[in-house]
Amino acid sequence: MPKIMITATLVAATGAVFAEASYPPEVSFASNKTRAEVIAELKQESDEGGLNSPASTNPVLQPAAPATTRAAVKAELNADATVANRELDVLRINAGH
């Protein structure tokens, strides 16, 4: 019986130790620059355009233009009935009908 009590006590103590540990672990940091030096570096970088780079980090994508027009697709389907029927069959199969 004492073995079970010791094991239970160790498990409870281990859980308490892990509960108090910080995550992510704290890393000590000591700056060797003053606030004024950091502000001056940021201002210089901003003046040189180094901080303004939205085009490279988040490019704006333009929608792709369709290769064919709707009228061209309709004309193609009307010209070739077998293609149109095959497309309808594929749609029905994929829809589960």
Side-chain angles (χ1 to χ4, degrees):
M1 190 74 162
K3 244 185 199 181
I4 294 174
M5 288 181 60
I6 292 172
T7 304
T9 304
L10 288 175
V11 169
T14 305
V17 169
F18 285 126
E20 293 176 14
S22 63
Y23 183 82
E26 294 180 20
V27 178
S28 62
F29 174 77
S31 176
N32 52 3
K33 294 182 183 182
T34 65
R35 180 177 176 86
E37 290 173 330
V38 171
I39 291 172
E41 285 181 8
L42 286 172
K43 183 175 180 342
Q44 179 183 358
E45 193 70 27
S46 177
D47 291 344
E48 294 173 358
L51 296 178
N52 298 324
S53 57
S56 63
T57 55
N58 295 314
V60 177
L61 301 177
Q62 299 298 324
T68 56
T69 65
R70 181 177 175 86
V73 171
K74 283 185 171 184
E76 181 182 338
L77 289 174
N78 288 335
D80 192 356
T82 57
V83 172
N85 289 334
R86 187 176 21 187
E87 292 295 324
L88 287 174
D89 289 341
V90 169
L91 289 173
R92 285 186 187 115
I93 290 168
N94 289 336
H97 293 125

